[in-house]
Amino acid sequence: MDILCIRGKNICTPEGIRAGYVMIQNGLISDVAENLSPSLSREVIDIGDSFLMPGLVDPHVHLNEPGRTNWEGFATGTRAAAAGGITTLVDMPLNCSPVTTTAAAFDQKAKAAEGQLQVNCGFWGGVVPGNHTQIEPLIDKGVLGFKAFLTHSGIDEFPNITGDDLQKAMPIIARHNLPLLVHCEISTNLVPGGDERSYLHYLSSRPKDWEDKAIALMIRLCELYNCRVHIVHLSSANSIAPIKQAKEKGLPITVETAQHYLYFNAEEIPNAQTAYKCAPPIREKANNEQLWQALQEGIIDFVATDHSPAPPEMKESSSGNLIKAWGGIASLQLALPILWTAARKRDIPVMNMAKWLSANPALLPGLNRSKGKIARGYDADLVVWDPNKKFTVTAEQLHHKHKTTPYLNQQLYGVVEQTWLQGKLVFDHGNFPLLNKGKIVTLDTP
Ligand SMILES: [Zn+2]
């Protein structure tokens, strides 16, 4: 039987980095060995000193198709993912139109994705006021969990929920042991107007307090309904202690932060640069240092991009109005080099990239039995990259539909060389040798 074999000196396995061979058969890793078994016919690919890591899993991506394909789209988004070493992403239920809050909308989205997926893609369903009767039909369709907002989402068709809605939705979601992903901000104290081009004004308009209140509420409800709660894009370090306590109590709560909260600090963000606008906002250095600490201690489980682009007009790129601009940072293709560049300055080892970008994020959508590890029986979804090579981010390199990103002109370490999807080479040194090999991943996928 034909076996494909990747030989490398730096293979990131759950036991650590080792030299050897990764054997691939029928899209799966059939063995990880120090030596080649002489009896097998095989093709050997030598990656030399480059690192072989499990393909990245990004469970927080807004691809915006159908309906807002002019913002991103399956074709461009998943191409960028492949170029960034991401082999599975999970698309959010909002920004697309219709929003994924009904079984019918799920069908429309799955149909729109057909023939456009460069990498695997799963879907989150949405919880909005009044749609609790759609939760089980969405589960039957194959959503991997649900997303809800506690403040205005920016998309009018995706209103935020209140205590009443959570009371109806959480017991149903808990019964199926799926996660409820929550955008944790409760907009209580609105700040008075100020200079709308000032970053510090924008920062003060979404204080930590908004996040802290929302997180406290979700910890209470997590305990009350014994429902898996996942806090998306944690930015306020004030919430680290209560989250730690909740975890120590054994509550089923998980947390992600995003690359931009770890890479940038508010002090360095120039005014009127709307590419940096996201919600909750990027905060001060002292806050962000605590996020790093919490990530290293395992209180924050993983890092996801929250890739959420919009056309330049919506980003108010020319006016520089941070209050009006769409809140969302585009970074999908750069997920690995951004985190690695910031991590290597702190002497964090490469293995942590495999943990924070592959193994841990695979747990949230329940894909951890097939993805996120280089081990026998796992999908041969792999990334080959060179952590020592650096590059400068240019618009031409990016496969995102819009090139607006705060990372333009940044010098980053970590060049993605190859991406393998179920044993097939889908990205190779800037080229895409095979197209549309991605699959829709649902809970039913074995
Ligand atoms: Zn998001």
Side-chain angles (χ1 to χ4, degrees):
M1 197 177 293
D2 279 353
I3 295 181
L4 174 70
C5 177
I6 300 178
R7 173 170 54 205
K9 294 179 192 149
N10 295 297
I11 301 171
C12 300
T13 70
E15 295 77 38
I17 295 176
R18 55 191 273 194
Y21 298 83
V22 174
M23 256 64 95
I24 299 167
Q25 221 171 339
N26 300 323
L28 300 177
I29 296 169
S30 57
D31 203 5
V32 184
E34 233 168 274
N35 300 300
L36 269 185
S37 152
S39 61
L40 302 167
S41 76
R42 69 191 79 84
E43 183 193 348
V44 179
I45 311 239
D46 195 335
I47 61 163
D49 293 328
S50 293
F51 280 63
L52 185 70
M53 216 168 73
L56 275 57
V57 177
D58 190 339
H60 194 151
V61 180
H62 298 265
L63 291 182
N64 311 331
E65 186 167 1
R68 285 192 182 83
T69 312
N70 58 327
W71 292 22
E72 184 60 277
F74 288 111
T76 49
T78 61
R79 193 174 269 251
I86 296 166
T87 47
T88 300
L89 59 84
V90 190
D91 181 46
M92 282 292 170
L94 70 162
N95 303 10
C96 51
S97 180
V99 291
T100 322
T101 52
T102 64
F106 181 97
D107 286 339
Q108 275 178 264
K109 186 179 262 193
K111 194 162 189 309
E114 259 173 44
Q116 299 207 73
L117 296 181
Q118 278 295 97
V119 301
N120 298 318
C121 180
F123 302 116
W124 300 118
V127 181
V128 292
N131 86 324
H132 58 277
T133 55
Q134 287 294 316
I135 291 175
E136 284 185 326
L138 278 163
I139 294 171
D140 291 342
K141 288 291 177 188
V143 296
L144 303 169
F146 291 86
K147 167 82 180 282
F149 277 71
L150 295 178
T151 187
H152 194 280
S153 73
I155 300 282
D156 290 337
E157 317 93 273
F158 200 98
N160 58 281
I161 49 171
T162 60
D164 259 11
D165 309 305
L166 287 164
Q167 200 182 336
K168 287 178 191 143
M170 287 180 85
I172 308 173
I173 298 170
R175 218 161 41 234
H176 293 269
N177 196 29
L178 293 178
L180 175 63
L181 286 66
V182 189
H183 178 118
C184 284
E185 280 186 300
I186 295 177
S187 35
T188 41
N189 40 344
L190 292 171
V191 292
D195 178 3
E196 300 192 336
R197 289 160 51 91
S198 149
Y199 186 77
L200 291 182
H201 170 65
Y202 172 62
L203 177 59
S204 68
S205 77
R206 299 187 91 114
K208 290 190 201 184
D209 185 47
W210 286 19
E211 272 191 273
D212 301 333
K213 272 191 191 130
I215 290 169
L217 170 70
M218 290 319 301
I219 291 173
R220 282 201 302 278
L221 296 177
C222 170
E223 184 164 27
L224 182 63
Y225 296 112
N226 194 26
C227 176
R228 288 173 63 194
V229 165
H230 178 74
I231 295 160
V232 294
H233 48 54
L234 177 71
S235 164
S236 166
N238 291 353
S239 280
I240 293 168
I243 291 167
K244 183 173 183 224
Q245 251 174 18
K247 285 188 159 194
E248 282 167 357
K249 227 170 157 183
L251 300 188
I253 194 159
T254 52
V255 187
E256 75 187 33
T257 191
Q259 275 85 351
H260 37 263
Y261 302 118
L262 300 168
Y263 186 91
F264 294 116
N265 296 313
E267 290 88 339
E268 305 142 16
I269 298 180
N271 289 334
Q273 292 301 312
T274 57
Y276 292 85
K277 180 181 174 180
C278 60
I282 298 167
R283 304 191 191 278
E284 300 85 348
K285 189 170 197 284
N287 177 87
N288 303 345
E289 287 301 324
Q290 294 178 62
L291 295 178
W292 270 109
Q293 190 64 32
L295 180 63
Q296 285 171 276
E297 288 172 15
I299 303 165
I300 295 174
D301 296 85
F302 63 84
V303 183
T305 60
D306 189 12
H307 176 71
S308 184
E313 317 82 79
M314 295 220 39
K315 280 304 274 179
E316 293 284 333
S317 301
S318 37
S319 78
N321 186 319
L322 283 155
I323 302 297
K324 272 200 206 149
W326 174 258
I329 288 181
S331 62
L332 189 62
Q333 189 176 327
L334 304 170
L336 175 59
I338 296 166
L339 189 63
W340 172 238
T341 301
R344 66 186 285 287
K345 284 189 203 151
R346 295 159 194 274
D347 294 324
I348 290 170
V350 171
M351 271 310 292
N352 288 44
M353 299 301 106
K355 181 164 83 177
W356 294 336
L357 296 173
S358 305
N360 287 2
L363 286 162
L364 179 71
L367 301 173
N368 50 303
R369 272 171 303 175
S370 57
K371 304 193 184 297
K373 278 183 190 157
I374 297 182
R376 191 180 297 163
Y378 279 75
D379 288 349
D381 292 349
L382 305 162
V383 52
V384 178
W385 66 294
D386 185 343
N388 299 312
K389 219 184 260 176
K390 56 185 174 179
F391 67 104
T392 303
V393 181
T394 63
E396 297 73 52
Q397 292 157 357
L398 297 176
H399 296 279
H400 308 148
K401 182 159 281 174
H402 300 290
K403 315 303 176 189
T404 306
T405 169
Y407 299 100
L408 276 184
N409 302 317
Q410 292 285 320
Q411 214 180 54
L412 300 179
Y413 277 89
V415 171
V416 173
E417 296 169 338
Q418 292 184 330
T419 304
W420 294 79
L421 197 64
Q422 271 146 343
K424 297 203 164 58
L425 187 60
V426 296
F427 176 77
D428 188 15
H429 294 89
N431 302 308
F432 298 90
L434 274 175
L435 292 171
N436 307 326
K437 290 293 167 198
K439 290 184 187 140
I440 291 179
V441 284
T442 64
L443 275 183
D444 297 322
T445 312

